[in-house]
Amino acid sequence: MAKKNKYYVVWKGREKGVFHTWEECKRQIEGYENAMYKSFDDIAQAEKAYGESPEKYIYAKKASLKKNISETPSSLPVTDSIATDAACSGNPGKMEYQGVYVKDGRRLFYFSHPNATNNIGEFLAIVHGLAYLKKHNLPQPLYTDSRNAMLWVRQKKCRTRLKRTEKNKDLFEYIARAEQWLENNTYSTPVLKWNTEEWGEIPADFGRK
């Protein structure tokens, strides 16, 4: 089945209007303070919405986002958010993860280990992000592109098959601290799945594909 086109309304951005691709829309709103935008499945609906107040279409969704944790991607990413991602050279191999502020790509935290896996990195990145947001009392949602890591975080357990050795015992101590943080802390941060198919690579991506 062919992928259905979406249409993007920008009420506040570098240029306003109805755009036919996410890339066009992204150029108008990325890094633009308090941008207002939304996607629609139908061009007539998008044109109608552009002629109306944006509050009718976007503020209700933002209000509910602050109250609920959801894995269902919204039609557009929330730019006032953080994104996490991991990369690994080999399996196991040199792993690194980072968290960035989606609106401007600024790196917020980074970690690497010479003997780990990508799944471990994705898990640790989410926990690091949750701890970062709680420490700084920030309400932003957190994006990841790993459903597996989201499941591990919900279970409060890094279910890696990597064997513990002398080379990675410090990594397993780091994992244990992350699991302990999940056990001992509550959080209201929405953990959301990044919609790579529609939005492109997650902003925290290391660009090694």
Side-chain angles (χ1 to χ4, degrees):
M1 181 179 294
K3 182 179 175 182
K4 187 175 181 180
N5 289 336
K6 285 187 176 291
Y7 304 91
Y8 304 88
V9 175
V10 177
W11 288 278
K12 183 177 179 182
R14 292 182 180 86
E15 291 186 21
K16 305 175 191 177
V18 177
F19 299 90
H20 289 224
T21 68
W22 165 239
E23 288 303 317
E24 288 179 298
C25 174
K26 185 179 178 182
R27 286 196 291 270
Q28 313 315 319
I29 56 91
E30 189 171 42
Y32 192 95
E33 187 174 0
N34 298 319
M36 293 184 182
Y37 56 96
K38 190 179 186 301
S39 72
F40 295 86
D41 294 328
D42 180 80
I43 184 64
Q45 185 183 32
E47 290 175 344
K48 177 178 181 293
Y50 179 57
E52 297 179 333
S53 171
E55 285 84 354
K56 180 178 177 180
Y57 295 92
I58 61 177
Y59 284 160
K61 180 179 285 189
K62 287 186 176 180
S64 64
L65 182 61
K66 293 180 180 179
K67 299 176 182 178
N68 300 296
I69 296 176
S70 171
E71 295 182 15
T72 303
S74 301
S75 56
L76 287 174
V78 178
T79 57
D80 186 17
S81 62
I82 73 170
T84 63
D85 198 25
C88 194
S89 301
N91 188 36
K94 181 184 177 182
M95 178 275 294
E96 52 189 333
Y97 72 72
Q98 63 182 347
V100 305
Y101 184 47
V102 171
K103 185 175 286 188
D104 59 16
R106 174 169 40 94
R107 177 184 279 178
L108 304 175
F109 53 83
Y110 173 85
F111 176 83
S112 67
H113 192 277
N115 196 326
T117 68
N118 192 74
N119 282 338
I120 290 174
E122 297 279 10
F123 168 79
L124 292 175
I126 295 175
V127 180
H128 197 149
L130 292 173
Y132 177 92
L133 290 167
K134 182 165 185 176
K135 177 181 178 180
H136 296 281
N137 195 29
L138 297 172
Q140 289 97 336
L142 181 151
Y143 282 105
T144 175
D145 61 7
S146 173
R147 291 191 183 280
N148 185 66
M150 294 173 78
L151 176 62
W152 288 3
V153 168
R154 283 202 307 270
Q155 296 173 342
K156 303 180 181 181
K157 189 72 176 177
C158 180
R159 300 194 179 280
T160 180
R161 295 181 181 179
L162 183 66
K163 302 299 182 183
R164 181 169 181 156
T165 66
E166 282 299 311
K167 290 182 178 180
N168 64 24
K169 65 179 182 180
D170 59 330
L171 172 69
F172 278 84
E173 291 169 359
Y174 194 72
I175 290 171
R177 291 199 298 273
E179 293 172 339
Q180 186 177 33
W181 188 93
L182 291 172
E183 288 289 346
N184 297 337
N185 288 271
T186 59
Y187 58 89
S188 58
T189 301
V191 179
L192 307 174
K193 175 68 171 63
W194 183 263
N195 190 351
T196 305
E197 182 179 345
E198 293 197 9
W199 305 338
E201 295 297 339
I202 193 166
D205 181 64
F206 284 90
R208 296 181 183 170
K209 296 178 179 61

